[in-house]
């Protein structure tokens, strides 16, 4: 009798003596190593596209040949024009930057020079060569011919620009002087007696070229004395003045500007060049 059978007989006798269930003492049959592979091979594998005999992959398809003489659609032409247009606009802005920089440098050179006396008679065609030139003129203001241009904003407040003809003595001509900005509440002259100087006065300012009208600005109405932009020729004909535009200047002083604003005295501009120069930004944009 083998040892294994002797061990099983002893285990059964011990089980019956202890009252243990037969199921707990059932011998474990050893698994065959090949059964594992048989159980795995009995499972159905997942179907793959390549299992289909009619399956055709990308590399099996014949290549599409592009003809060299084929015309392209309008979309491709537009895409090709975008970098060309951007390059042209950027080049144009480089030229504009050079022109604007030289213009500002020329005006700043005129500002540092001593002011010149305004001649009795001025050739309007020569004003271009003296734009932003500091000058001074002596005479008395014709407040009865005063004109207001507006609305104009100053530090967030609504108001007007005061334009007053300056009549010069000794046979001199009358010129238009932009005296500066006043608040809207001082539109009537009776409300600003301090802003109406009498007698002979010397005005120091900048000789400027006539302004150009913006396409969105409405036309002036000289009959009702409503002016939205400074039309130098029109305002000169209305007041019998020469078409010469002078912008009165003052030293930048915040406390003085507040005092003048409260008293209705026109606040003149600073003696500086105020031309926009955004061409560098436009270059990087394009």
């Amino acid at each position: 009798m083998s040892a294994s059978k002797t061990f099983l007989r002893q285990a059964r006798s011990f089980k019956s003596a202890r009252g243990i269930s037969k199921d707990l003492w059932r011998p474990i049959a050893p698994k065959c190593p090949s059964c594992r592979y048989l159980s795995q091979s009995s499972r159905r594998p997942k179907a793959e596209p390549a299992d289909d005999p009619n399956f055709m992959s990308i590399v099996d398809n014949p290549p599409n040949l592009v003809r060299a003489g084929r015309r392209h659609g309008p979309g491709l032409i537009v895409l090709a024009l975008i970098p060309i247009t951007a390059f042209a606009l950027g080049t144009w802005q480089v030229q504009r930057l050079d022109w604007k920089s030289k213009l500002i440098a020329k005006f700043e050179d005129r500002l540092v020079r001593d002011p010149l006396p305004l001649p009795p008679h001025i050739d309007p065609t020569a004003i271009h060569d003296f734009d932003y030139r500091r000058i001074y003129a002596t005479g008395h203001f014709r407040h009865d011919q005063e004109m207001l241009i507006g609305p104009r904003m100053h530090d967030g407040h609504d108001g007007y620009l005061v334009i007053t003809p300056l009549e010069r003595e000794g046979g001199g001509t009358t010129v238009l002087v932009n005296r500066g900005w006043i608040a809207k509440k001082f539109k009537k002259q009776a409300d600003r007696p301090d802003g109406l100087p009498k007698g002979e006065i010397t005005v120091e300012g900048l000789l400027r070229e006539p302004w150009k009208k913006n396409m969105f600005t409405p036309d002036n109405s000289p009959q009702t004395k409503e002016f939205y932009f400074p039309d130098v020729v029109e305002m000169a004909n209305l007041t019998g003045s020469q078409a010469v535009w002078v912008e009165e200047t003052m030293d930048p002083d915040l406390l003085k500007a507040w005092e003048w604003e409260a008293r209705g005295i026109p606040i003149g501009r600073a003696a500086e060049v105020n031309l926009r120069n955004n061409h560098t930004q436009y270059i990087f944009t394009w």
Side-chain angles (χ1 to χ4, degrees), residues 190-248:
D191 297 333
R192 47 184 169 92
D194 295 338
L196 304 173
K198 307 293 183 182
E200 189 175 78
I201 187 173
T202 299
V203 175
E204 183 173 340
L206 303 179
L207 187 64
R208 293 299 316 278
E209 278 193 291
W211 291 22
K212 295 181 180 180
K213 176 186 175 182
N214 190 299
M215 62 180 299
F216 301 104
T217 305
D219 295 331
N220 293 331
S221 179
Q223 296 79 9
T224 58
K225 291 189 176 181
E226 294 179 353
F227 299 92
Y228 303 99
F229 74 99
D231 189 335
V232 178
V233 176
E234 181 182 58
M235 301 173 93
N237 295 332
L238 184 65
T239 59
S241 307
Q242 197 171 13
V244 178
W245 183 266
V246 178
E247 294 184 352
E248 189 174 2

Side-chain angles (χ1 to χ4, degrees), residues 5-19:
K5 291 182 178 181
T6 304
F7 175 77
L8 290 175
R9 185 179 294 109
Q10 292 176 356
R12 290 192 187 98
S13 61
F14 178 79
K15 172 206 56 163
S16 58
R18 303 286 295 180

Side-chain angles (χ1 to χ4, degrees), residues 30-63:
K31 291 184 178 181
C32 178
S34 61
C35 296
R36 178 177 55 186
Y37 299 101
L38 291 175
S39 61
Q40 291 180 357
S41 61
S42 62
R43 296 178 184 176
R44 187 174 231 179
K46 184 178 180 181
E48 298 293 340
D51 296 337
D52 187 358
N54 298 323
F55 173 76
M56 181 175 290
S57 66
I58 298 176
V59 295
D60 297 329
N61 292 327

Side-chain angles (χ1 to χ4, degrees), residues 2 37 45 125 134 140 154 181 192 216 266 271:
S2 64
Y37 299 101
T125 60
R134 295 172 59 193
H140 65 274
H154 178 75
W181 179 89
R192 47 184 169 92
F216 301 104

Side-chain angles (χ1 to χ4, degrees), residues 8-196:
L8 290 175
R9 185 179 294 109
Q10 292 176 356
R12 290 192 187 98
S13 61
F14 178 79
K15 172 206 56 163
S16 58
R18 303 286 295 180
I20 301 176
S21 174
K22 296 180 179 182
D23 296 335
L24 296 177
W25 289 95
R26 182 175 300 170
I28 301 174
K31 291 184 178 181
C32 178
S34 61
C35 296
R36 178 177 55 186
Y37 299 101
L38 291 175
S39 61
Q40 291 180 357
S41 61
S42 62
R43 296 178 184 176
R44 187 174 231 179
K46 184 178 180 181
E48 298 293 340
D51 296 337
D52 187 358
N54 298 323
F55 173 76
M56 181 175 290
S57 66
I58 298 176
V59 295
D60 297 329
N61 292 327
N64 293 328
L65 300 179
V66 179
R67 293 179 297 176
R70 184 177 180 181
R71 293 184 178 181
H72 301 291
L76 186 60
I77 297 176
V78 172
L79 291 177
L81 289 177
I82 290 176
I84 298 175
T85 304
F87 177 78
L89 292 174
T91 304
W92 176 60
Q93 290 299 329
V94 170
Q95 298 174 354
R96 293 279 295 176
L97 175 62
D98 180 68
W99 166 78
K100 184 62 71 66
S101 300
K102 292 179 179 178
L103 183 65
I104 293 176
K106 179 175 64 175
F107 290 159
E108 290 179 344
D109 178 69
R110 294 175 182 175
L111 286 176
V112 299
R113 299 183 183 182
D114 295 333
L116 294 174
L118 191 65
H121 297 275
I122 302 100
D123 183 6
T125 60
I127 295 179
H128 172 76
D129 299 327
F130 293 89
D131 195 14
Y132 275 97
R133 190 66 169 88
R134 295 172 59 193
I135 58 93
Y136 64 88
T138 302
H140 65 274
F141 283 124
R142 294 292 306 272
H143 296 294
D144 57 322
Q145 296 181 338
E146 179 185 88
M147 295 165 286
L148 300 179
I149 299 177
R152 284 292 189 277
M153 301 298 295
H154 178 75
D155 291 340
H157 300 285
D158 195 5
Y160 299 93
L161 294 179
V162 180
I163 314 300
T164 309
L166 179 69
E167 187 175 353
R168 296 186 287 168
E169 307 294 341
T173 57
T174 302
V175 296
L176 299 174
V177 178
N178 177 10
R179 300 182 57 204
W181 179 89
I182 61 171
K184 186 177 181 179
K185 62 182 179 180
F186 293 111
K187 182 177 181 179
K188 297 181 180 180
Q189 291 186 356
D191 297 333
R192 47 184 169 92
D194 295 338
L196 304 173

